[in-house]
Amino acid sequence: MIAHSPSRSGTNVGTRVGERVALRGDLLYLRADPGANADAAECVHFEPDGWLLIEHGRVAGLLPADREPAADWPREDWRGRLLLPGFIDTHVHAPQLDVIGSFGTELLQWLERYTFPAEQRWADQHHAEVGARRFVRALLAHGTTSAMVFPTVHRGSVDALFAAGQEMGMCLVAGKVLMDRNAPQELCDDIAWAERDCVALIEAWHGRGRMRYALTPRFAPTSSDAQMEMCGRLLRDFDGLYVQTHVAENQAEVRWVRDLYPNSRSYLDVYAGFGLLGRRSILAHGIWLDETDRALLAERGSTVAFSPSSNLFLGSGLFDWARADAAGMRVAVASDVGGGTSLCQLRSLADAYKVLALQGQRLSAWRALHAVTRGAAAALDLEAELGHFEPGAWGDVVVWDWAVGEVHAHRLGLARDLHERLFAWMTLADERNVAAVYVGGRRVDA
Ligand code: GUN
Ligand code: ZN
């Protein structure tokens, strides 16, 4: 829960701040991807005790501490706290809050035993609407203000999710999950019905406010060739659609795809064959890719959503970011709840560090924060307006406590430079550090 209040001055402050607001605190955002270089200070914009000016929902500018906003700017004073662009989660499942932390299985059994039954319950519209609101509030309370989301196969689940996001003013990319085989009958659609639902949802939601539509074939095993072809067709017929799916997560899954698609060179090649790889395609996991796959992803500008918490929890494997770098692939970091065990992207980053450490690789705080802000925005083709504090970006801001409790305060107090401080913060903090959340310049109660 968000429990703090800023010290207030001026007028028109509170949970809805009107057209303008100036937020004071330690402002930080990434200007560019620092790559594997921890010393990439030129990529970091840090304005200690600065002012962030937000007008009509978007960033109007930054001021250093020694320059006050004009007298007619309402102010909220978060001095001594860290203000970051709201995190972006590029892969998360709304109905899976019901199964987060489920014991004892790898991917395929986990889907059957826990996930599919939970998703079946979203056939009930009331259940879907309550679940969607709970999910959206939870994202915000964990510091995430934009997300690419899987709801369920039910058309009503997509309406419920977009409506809940719209109510909070946030940016969501989502679409009806497509499955027409190898799943419980209750979760399977057919081509004609799925296409009708997709077209209706695209027309209702794609480009409405901050909502965007993603074609969502769950993964190769649960879509027939005909359904994949339909996805490719819709992608060509409508401008600006996204694709979200899973690829090469688990070794048993990879073997299954090889049996189902004997003529495809690889799991990734199945999606390529149906024309589903482009700049707005985000594929979760990508652990068991080979060099040819990585080169293809780089060439198409598609992104892998590295989901370390899920990969550890489901025992799926270790994503190799250095190889992805060498191939020139785009990578974002995601929670993949409910395979992942926390909606807080700081937990994803701490797990990412550990996954890479097991392979002798190092994840700097700068690269980590870039991957859940500006890098994730770039993966969604929304870098012009998301993931940083440059003029024109949405006023999506999370106010974080630097430390919760004596141990964290003590450790941060010993940091000798900004990277050390941010890295220790990122490793130790979680949603309990969230002090306030702004979406489009408006404070929201999550
Ligand atoms: N592959 C297909 N569906 C899923 C899912 O819901 N979660 C994860 N982690 N992998 C999947
Ligand atoms: Zn997933």
Side-chain angles (χ1 to χ4, degrees):
M1 288 304 293
I2 295 169
H4 309 263
S5 284
S7 52
R8 290 166 180 180
S9 56
T11 54
N12 198 25
V13 292
T15 52
R16 295 177 76 81
V17 294
E19 294 299 291
R20 275 180 156 188
V21 66
L23 306 178
R24 182 173 192 173
D26 298 330
L27 310 174
L28 190 143
Y29 71 89
L30 274 293
R31 288 200 189 95
D33 183 359
N37 178 8
D39 302 325
E42 70 282 359
C43 294
V44 183
H45 189 116
F46 184 54
E47 200 68 66
D49 195 17
W51 293 96
L52 176 65
L53 307 180
I54 302 174
E55 192 165 25
H56 305 303
R58 294 189 186 249
V59 173
L62 295 188
L63 293 176
D66 59 1
R67 285 195 43 212
E68 291 255 327
D72 58 345
W73 279 83
R75 298 151 192 226
E76 298 208 2
D77 189 348
W78 295 105
R79 246 175 294 183
R81 293 196 171 94
L82 175 64
L83 273 60
L84 294 177
F87 289 158
I88 302 163
D89 193 341
T90 46
H91 185 83
V92 59
H93 297 257
Q96 294 182 15
L97 286 189
D98 287 17
V99 299
I100 193 168
S102 292
F103 174 75
T105 52
E106 286 200 3
L107 174 66
L108 299 177
Q109 207 183 9
W110 175 82
L111 286 171
E112 264 176 45
R113 187 177 298 175
Y114 302 113
T115 307
F116 289 153
E119 296 191 10
Q120 281 174 45
R121 296 198 287 272
W122 280 49
D124 177 81
Q125 191 58 21
H126 177 70
H127 185 87
E129 285 169 11
V130 171
R133 279 198 295 273
R134 179 190 303 116
F135 172 75
V136 159
R137 275 200 316 274
L139 280 181
L140 293 167
H142 287 74
T144 293
T145 51
S146 303
M148 188 171 210
V149 186
F150 275 59
T152 65
V153 291
H154 313 98
R155 175 170 161 179
S157 75
V158 188
D159 286 319
L161 181 67
F162 278 137
Q166 178 127 308
E167 210 171 296
M168 305 310 267
M170 61 200 296
C171 169
L172 293 181
V173 184
K176 178 192 136 47
V177 175
L178 297 162
M179 293 200 273
D180 67 351
R181 63 171 181 172
N182 294 323
Q185 195 52 42
E186 297 86 335
L187 285 179
C188 282
D189 47 28
D190 66 45
I191 308 290
W193 157 32
E195 183 160 7
R196 214 171 34 241
D197 280 359
C198 285
V199 169
L201 288 163
I202 291 164
E203 286 171 350
W205 291 105
H206 185 53
R208 177 165 159 198
R210 299 182 67 187
M211 305 300 141
R212 302 286 183 273
Y213 196 83
L215 297 164
T216 308
R218 181 179 209 114
F219 66 157
T222 48
S223 286
S224 64
D225 283 16
Q227 191 168 68
M228 293 288 207
E229 276 160 16
M230 177 199 74
C231 278
R233 197 165 58 244
L234 291 176
L235 195 59
R236 288 190 298 278
D237 285 353
F238 290 87
D239 278 344
L241 293 184
Y242 293 81
V243 174
Q244 58 175 345
T245 189
H246 299 84
V247 72
E249 173 178 4
N250 167 291
Q251 286 177 294
E253 172 211 22
V254 173
R255 284 195 296 273
W256 191 20
V257 173
R258 200 177 297 143
D259 292 344
L260 289 169
Y261 288 96
N263 297 325
S264 293
R265 198 202 66 80
S266 67
Y267 189 161
L268 182 76
D269 196 42
V270 175
Y271 300 128
F274 292 105
L276 297 180
L277 299 184
R279 280 185 63 74
R280 292 184 171 197
S281 303
I282 303 213
L283 301 96
H285 309 299
I287 297 167
W288 304 103
L289 300 172
D290 63 18
E291 288 308 324
T292 308
D293 292 329
R294 282 188 270 265
L296 180 63
L297 285 169
E299 181 205 312
R300 298 290 164 87
S302 307
T303 297
V304 162
F306 169 26
S307 307
S309 168
S310 169
N311 299 161
L312 292 169
F313 187 74
L314 294 177
S316 302
L318 306 177
F319 176 76
D320 189 335
W321 201 332
R323 283 227 159 99
D325 264 348
M329 255 170 69
R330 284 143 68 101
V331 177
V333 171
S335 74
D336 190 32
V337 158
T341 52
S342 172
L343 281 178
C344 184
Q345 285 282 63
L346 292 174
R347 297 295 86 234
S348 301
L349 297 179
D351 283 341
Y353 180 85
K354 295 168 194 168
V355 164
L356 296 170
L358 281 167
Q359 303 171 87
Q361 299 172 29
R362 296 286 166 239
L363 177 64
S364 74
W366 303 143
R367 179 166 235 197
L369 291 172
H370 180 265
V372 295
T373 55
R374 191 170 202 137
L380 295 176
D381 218 10
L382 294 172
E383 191 177 355
E385 55 181 52
L386 219 52
H388 53 82
F389 291 150
E390 288 162 14
W394 284 101
D396 296 349
V397 184
V398 178
V399 181
W400 297 90
D401 281 321
W402 278 106
V404 170
E406 214 175 305
V407 171
H408 296 182
H410 170 74
R411 170 66 185 94
L412 263 66
L414 294 173
R416 288 155 300 180
D417 60 34
L418 187 61
H419 184 266
E420 183 178 338
R421 191 167 170 212
L422 261 295
F423 183 77
W425 175 77
M426 170 192 116
T427 304
L428 301 173
D430 60 25
E431 68 275 13
R432 285 165 290 194
N433 294 60
V434 173
V437 179
Y438 295 82
V439 178
R442 293 212 156 110
R443 183 147 179 221
V444 296
D445 292 316

